[in-house]
Amino acid sequence: MSHTVNHTHDPRLRSWVKSSNPGQTDFPIQNLPFGVFKRRSNDDAPRVGVAIGDQILDVRACDKANLFEGEAKAAAAACESLSLNKLMSLGEDEWSGLRSRLSLLLREDNNEVEHHKQIIENHLVPMTEAEMLMPVEIGDYTDFYASLYHATNVGSMFRPDNPLLPNYKYVPIGYHGRASSVVVSGTGVKRPHGQTQTNEGEPPTFAPSKLLDYEMEVGFFVGPGNKLGEPVAIERAAQHIFGLCLVNDWSARDIQRWEYQPLGPFLAKSFATTISPWVVTMEALAPFRTEAFARTAGDPAPLAYLQSPTDQEQGGIDLTLEVCLASRQMREADIPPALLTRGNFRDMYWTIAQILTHHASNGCNLRTGDLIASGTVSGSSKESRGCLLELTWRGTEPVQLPGGETRRFLQDGDEVIMRGYCERAGFARIAFGECRGMVLQADGV
Ligand code: CA
């Protein structure tokens, strides 16, 4: 991996932004994720910001106050934009320079800061006064299927005798999704209409989906792209990855079942995909890298172009992922959201470097701002199944909600809330904030 642990990860670091102190926040000084926000109180254009505690630091405004130089200056200047794309297009040296400088400016034991503190304080916006916007202009969105447990569970429902297709352990399976319907956390998701076949052998009907589901995933954003016709060697894959976000790949299972053969998912997925507003950089995640998935004896080794010793040693990411659900009835009764599942991103069969390298291996050009999602993150236990299709085993084992309701699939008014966090002894906990979305009633119902 190109990012190593450095002074910005020191668990002893504290910020003079008091709300960022450990135990109180997803965004301590060791995190410093990027997003795009707008003040609710005025008509200012969107701005690039960095989360620190319950505040957002306006990077452009700090740049105007001449707080950066060198590579940090180049990166901060790229934040004078309505999205993160320009920053993401630069590269690791600039990203790292900006992170290092922001860490120094926000830490409490830095004498230089006393001089600048008043300026910086003027450019902090409370999160309560800001609206988070789409952080990235996404040109292309691709979704993978990288959890062996998810693929095996889903396969066994449809093909009990042959759950895992023979290509799975050789090729990271993916499909091209739809970038235009990727939305930021908090956006309502209208239940889609589509063709579904209720009874085998009978014609389908066109109606609102009855089997609406979420999929808990992790996405990464492409930084610098590759030229058409020029694949990316796995050793260099990390240089092309800016950071991660949480992804909810909403899925209409009844539409999916009828349409998916022979070309894969289409309208069952493209009505909405929700992402979290904060992009956690790969550098912030450096302390939480872990070995790639341990293949069991008898599994084939990855083909040479998908294999590197560094990726095998550190290609995984120890990132805990949670899905909570709040129904309308629960909200009305003041019942807090119920935890449905808890999984971990380190359980994926393919690493993000393998996924990126595979995606570009035919010469396909990835571009700055492309979103590449992992596929549903499921582990080996029932508690870690990342979608209702698996968790309720196609609706045969309903989930009990506090307040007495049950769920096979999502109902109108259900809000799905995803969270992700990294914890490791000797390091500060960092987290992703939330990725939330509420199911809205279908049109014409
Ligand atoms: Ca998916």
Side-chain angles (χ1 to χ4, degrees):
M1 289 309 114
S2 37
H3 289 298
T4 49
V5 171
N6 57 40
H7 74 92
T8 65
H9 304 100
D10 187 336
R12 294 165 298 183
L13 284 185
R14 294 290 179 272
S15 172
W16 51 265
V17 180
K18 294 298 176 201
S19 62
S20 71
N21 286 333
Q24 301 174 21
T25 177
D26 282 357
F27 309 117
I29 191 170
Q30 292 85 356
N31 193 348
L32 303 177
F34 288 86
V36 173
F37 73 100
K38 190 183 155 319
R39 283 176 196 258
R40 289 185 200 278
S41 57
N42 63 29
D43 291 331
D44 260 11
R47 288 166 181 245
V48 171
V50 167
I52 178 79
D54 62 8
Q55 306 286 311
I56 304 171
L57 183 65
D58 182 337
V59 180
R60 179 181 72 160
C62 292
D63 184 37
K64 294 249 186 278
N66 287 319
L67 294 175
F68 304 107
E69 57 188 31
E71 281 149 347
K73 169 80 182 168
C79 293
E80 196 169 345
S81 174
L82 305 183
S83 72
L84 299 181
N85 292 55
K86 206 167 166 190
L87 171 66
M88 296 197 302
S89 74
L90 295 178
E92 290 177 313
D93 291 346
E94 288 81 5
W95 305 336
S96 201
L98 181 56
R99 174 181 165 86
S100 177
R101 180 65 176 154
L102 287 170
S103 176
L104 287 169
L105 289 172
L106 290 167
R107 62 191 280 181
E108 66 180 359
D109 56 346
N110 180 2
N111 290 335
E112 185 207 345
V113 167
E114 289 309 316
H115 181 63
H116 297 309
K117 195 168 163 183
Q118 192 60 53
I119 300 169
I120 301 170
E121 267 184 331
N122 288 340
H123 301 312
L124 285 172
V125 178
M127 287 182 179
T128 51
E129 293 175 18
E131 178 188 354
M132 296 308 297
L133 306 173
M134 274 292 285
V136 174
E137 283 174 54
I138 299 170
D140 277 296
Y141 161 48
T142 311
D143 194 19
F144 278 80
Y145 195 56
S147 163
L148 176 74
Y149 301 111
H150 174 69
T152 305
N153 283 337
V154 173
S156 67
M157 289 175 212
F158 296 96
R159 297 177 303 272
D161 302 330
N162 181 26
L164 206 64
L165 294 171
N167 57 3
Y168 190 85
K169 293 179 177 176
Y170 290 95
V171 55
I173 302 290
Y175 70 95
H176 289 292
R178 182 82 191 162
S180 65
S181 52
V182 179
V183 296
V184 74
S185 177
T187 308
V189 172
K190 198 194 297 175
R191 183 180 295 273
H193 276 69
Q195 280 198 26
T196 63
Q197 185 193 45
T198 309
N199 297 308
E200 202 78 38
E202 288 180 14
T205 55
F206 184 77
S209 167
K210 293 188 181 72
L211 307 182
L212 189 58
D213 200 355
Y214 58 80
E215 290 188 339
M216 175 178 72
E217 306 195 12
V218 173
F220 67 84
F221 286 107
V222 173
N226 61 301
K227 287 191 183 138
L228 181 64
E230 295 183 8
V232 177
I234 190 157
E235 291 80 9
R236 295 201 310 275
Q239 298 168 18
H240 294 270
I241 303 176
F242 176 74
L244 304 186
C245 67
L246 306 177
V247 176
N248 181 350
D249 179 29
W250 302 92
S251 300
R253 300 303 183 192
D254 40 2
I255 299 172
Q256 185 178 0
R257 183 163 172 265
W258 175 241
E259 76 171 6
Y260 87 103
Q261 299 196 78
L263 287 183
F266 182 43
L267 302 180
K269 304 274 191 174
S270 62
F271 57 95
T273 306
T274 305
I275 63 168
S276 57
W278 293 109
V279 182
V280 176
T281 63
M282 296 316 296
E283 188 170 1
L285 292 163
F288 310 102
R289 300 310 294 256
T290 184
E291 63 272 20
F293 186 88
R295 295 187 169 213
T296 50
D299 273 11
L303 297 185
Y305 78 103
L306 294 176
Q307 203 175 138
S308 98
T310 315
D311 191 50
Q312 289 301 303
E313 281 162 26
Q314 305 173 37
I317 302 172
D318 187 352
L319 162 58
T320 302
L321 298 160
E322 294 180 349
V323 182
C324 294
L325 189 143
S327 70
R328 184 180 292 143
Q329 186 181 310
M330 288 166 65
R331 285 193 299 277
E332 283 166 2
D334 279 329
I335 300 172
L339 180 71
L340 297 187
T341 48
R342 183 182 288 121
N344 195 302
F345 195 48
R346 70 175 169 228
D347 289 337
M348 303 307 270
Y349 197 76
W350 298 103
T351 66
I352 58 173
Q354 288 173 320
I355 286 172
L356 183 135
T357 293
H358 180 66
H359 201 320
S361 63
N362 65 345
C364 171
N365 51 326
L366 306 176
R367 295 180 296 188
T368 299
D370 284 356
L371 173 64
I372 301 180
S374 62
T376 306
V377 180
S378 290
S380 56
S381 68
K382 179 168 181 178
E383 294 70 33
S384 61
R385 293 176 186 165
C387 62
L388 285 173
L389 177 70
E390 282 174 84
L391 189 62
T392 71
W393 211 255
R394 233 174 151 177
T396 59
E397 302 167 23
V399 171
Q400 302 289 326
L401 297 179
E405 295 174 279
T406 59
R407 283 292 179 279
R408 293 179 161 83
F409 290 93
L410 296 171
Q411 296 193 3
D412 293 347
D414 284 355
E415 186 169 36
V416 178
I417 305 147
M418 298 179 176
R419 294 195 182 90
Y421 56 88
C422 296
E423 289 176 332
R424 186 179 160 200
F427 290 94
R429 174 191 188 274
I430 65 169
F432 281 65
E434 290 180 346
C435 176
R436 63 165 72 214
M438 191 185 295
V439 179
L440 308 178
Q441 194 177 61
D443 280 338
V445 177

